[in-house]
Amino acid sequence: STMFEPTALFPMLAAIGYWTSIVGKVHNGQQSFLCSDTNRTDVFTHIGTQCKPCGNYWGAEYVVKDVGDATTRLETINGSDWSAYSHGQFANRTTAFMRAAVRAKQPFFAHIGTTGPHLPAIPAPWHLEEVSRWTIGAPRAPSFNFDAPSHHPTIAAAPRIDDDKLVYVDALMRDRLGVLLSIDDLVASVVGTLDNLGVLDSSYIFYSSDHGYHLGEWKLPMEKMWPYETDTRIPFWCRGPGIVPGTVVDALAVNIDIAPTLLHLAGAAVPANYDGQSLAPLLIGTRDETAAARRAWRTRTVISFAEGGDQWWGKVSQAALNLSVAAPA
């Protein structure tokens, strides 16, 4: 496990006795460091990650490490079967791990990196009939297809999206929502399993996403590469002991706060080299304590993004209209 940064989340949790699981998509290009059947991965008790391709809804190859294994192995599944759909795979692999951990009376942490609603947003075949009946489209916010000559030159110069192209933007919106139906199924499976195991009330659950999206705002048909609220805001929900249901916190949290929060709640010391801070004091405590923590919280942050290459939306959005034939029967 010397290949892992010792103050990263998984090594820190493993060091204090947690069983750890990582399932789903880890990161773009993960095959360069993960797709091997002999990796020593001591900081992970369980692995079920997509290998090639790493973000696919019908991935046929997984890197697997079962509880008790010393190394990973490659597992090929039947990509033409409905059971190969990614979110079903991720839910089944994670709930099996949680059952094993509770049977062994071990504290555990399970990370699930969902495929959806990432492009090309392919709803599960069992949800296609429902999605096909939808008429919803992308939200028509004031910024939708809005000409903004004073903004960045690329935005100012962008042509208006023609009505015949908006068909694709609306189709992508429906497909993204359709994918979320299977993520809802995954969440229900995880929560239901925790409940059945009798540990739901002693578990923390965090739910978030990749960074936000625009679908037509500022004449941008899709993607998330700009410093607008659509691109930088992400959903973030949590539940667990001491968190009052319905609590809404408007503090400026960022993704680097997640690891220190998890370590804090698990009882580990948060490393001094972390830039993020635990969100727990904002959520757990007396009303006076949480109010004081929120007053002392950061009020600004830096948001940056850099990625090389061009992105062409036409190729992807055309596929969005053909999803009913793309899923295996």
Side-chain angles (χ1 to χ4, degrees), residues 70-301:
T71 60
T72 57
R73 60 184 169 85
L74 294 180
E75 177 183 297
T76 301
I77 62 175
N78 182 358
S80 65
D81 191 86
W82 276 17
S83 65
Y85 188 71
S86 59
H87 297 137
Q89 284 284 329
F90 302 165
N92 292 342
R93 292 172 187 269
T94 298
T95 53
F97 162 76
M98 296 194 305
R99 285 192 292 270
V102 172
R103 274 198 305 269
K105 295 183 169 55
Q106 293 292 321
F108 63 88
F109 170 65
H111 169 79
I112 307 171
T114 62
T115 310
H118 201 285
L119 288 169
I122 303 174
W126 48 89
H127 289 311
L128 282 176
E129 184 182 350
E130 178 179 350
V131 175
S132 71
R133 295 195 298 267
W134 290 349
T135 56
I136 190 174
R140 266 41 174 192
S143 59
F144 189 86
N145 231 349
F146 184 76
D147 190 41
S150 64
H151 289 217
H152 186 280
T154 302
I155 299 294
R160 188 180 184 279
I161 306 171
D162 295 333
D163 289 348
D164 61 335
K165 303 297 191 301
L166 291 177
V167 173
Y168 301 120
V169 176
D170 289 336
L172 179 57
M173 177 68 181
R174 289 190 291 274
D175 291 330
R176 285 167 62 82
L177 288 172
V179 164
L180 287 178
L181 292 176
S182 62
I183 295 182
D184 285 348
D185 294 340
L186 183 158
V187 171
S189 179
V190 168
V191 174
T193 299
L194 292 171
D195 195 19
N196 291 339
L197 292 170
V199 297
L200 180 60
D201 291 341
S202 58
S203 300
Y204 287 98
I205 301 173
F206 289 84
Y207 179 103
S208 189
S209 84
D210 199 345
H211 273 82
Y213 219 71
H214 43 67
L215 288 162
E217 292 91 354
W218 314 111
K219 303 179 296 185
L220 294 162
M222 53 178 246
E223 263 302 347
K224 52 173 187 182
M225 310 295 180
W226 292 90
Y228 296 115
E229 296 255 322
T230 42
D231 305 49
T232 59
R233 278 187 178 269
I234 58 173
F236 192 72
W237 289 280
C238 55
R239 64 167 287 171
I243 300 176
V244 178
T247 301
V248 178
V249 180
D250 62 1
L252 186 60
V254 289
N255 52 12
I256 57 172
D257 297 326
I258 296 173
T261 303
L262 296 174
L263 290 176
H264 181 172
L265 293 172
V270 177
N273 64 346
Y274 275 29
D275 293 315
Q277 305 175 65
S278 172
L279 299 166
L282 307 177
L283 297 163
I284 302 169
T286 67
R287 184 175 298 182
D288 287 346
E289 288 168 343
T290 56
R294 294 173 196 180
R295 284 194 301 271
W297 195 253
R298 73 170 73 88
T299 56
R300 64 189 66 192
T301 187

